[in-house]
Amino acid sequence: MLKPESENNIQRINLVIDSNHLTMLIPRDEEPLFRRAGSFISGRLEGYRHKYPNESTIPANGYLMMTAVDAAYHYHRLKAEKNQEALHRKVEELNESIEDFLLRYHR
């Protein structure tokens, strides 16, 4: 029996994050990104454990919270950079238009 097209595009993957197995249903074509995201989280968790080795000073799930804040920070920073790049391109386009206008009509 064939599954509907949308179900064919869904894939079950298993990630190991912080010694825990996590099963997720994801879009098939996004598997590499999810695996990289899992590796990113694992690496950040390890980094924070190394940077703050005294677990008694960290709240429950503190390393995971630090990793979540870190990931959210990078997301927002990249989003802001992308917005700035788009604004820069628009300003360049407007400058070119103004220069063209001035060259044509300001003689």
Side-chain angles (χ1 to χ4, degrees), residues 4-107:
E5 185 176 332
S6 63
E7 287 184 28
N8 285 334
N9 292 329
I10 300 297
Q11 175 178 347
R12 181 183 310 273
I13 65 168
N14 294 300
L15 302 173
V16 178
I17 298 175
D18 196 30
S19 302
N20 295 293
H21 292 271
L22 179 66
T23 301
M24 298 178 67
L25 293 174
I26 61 159
R28 186 174 302 280
D29 59 343
E30 294 182 13
E31 178 189 2
L33 291 174
F34 275 91
R35 294 206 181 274
R36 282 197 297 259
S39 294
F40 172 85
I41 291 170
S42 293
R44 292 292 192 204
L45 281 167
E46 175 130 355
Y48 282 118
R49 281 202 174 89
H50 181 72
K51 187 173 183 177
Y52 304 100
N54 188 355
E55 289 187 34
S56 65
T57 63
I58 306 296
N61 294 320
Y63 296 119
L64 190 55
M65 288 186 285
M66 288 178 194
T67 301
V69 169
D70 186 86
Y73 164 78
H74 283 89
Y75 166 80
H76 287 289
R77 191 179 92 201
L78 288 172
K79 188 175 177 184
E81 288 174 5
K82 183 178 178 185
N83 288 342
Q84 289 174 356
E85 288 173 12
L87 179 60
H88 181 70
R89 282 192 303 272
K90 188 65 176 172
V91 168
E92 285 180 342
E93 289 173 13
L94 290 171
N95 280 339
E96 288 176 12
S97 295
I98 291 169
E99 287 174 3
D100 288 345
F101 175 82
L102 290 174
L103 286 173
R104 268 189 268 174
Y105 300 104
H106 187 68
R107 293 182 189 197

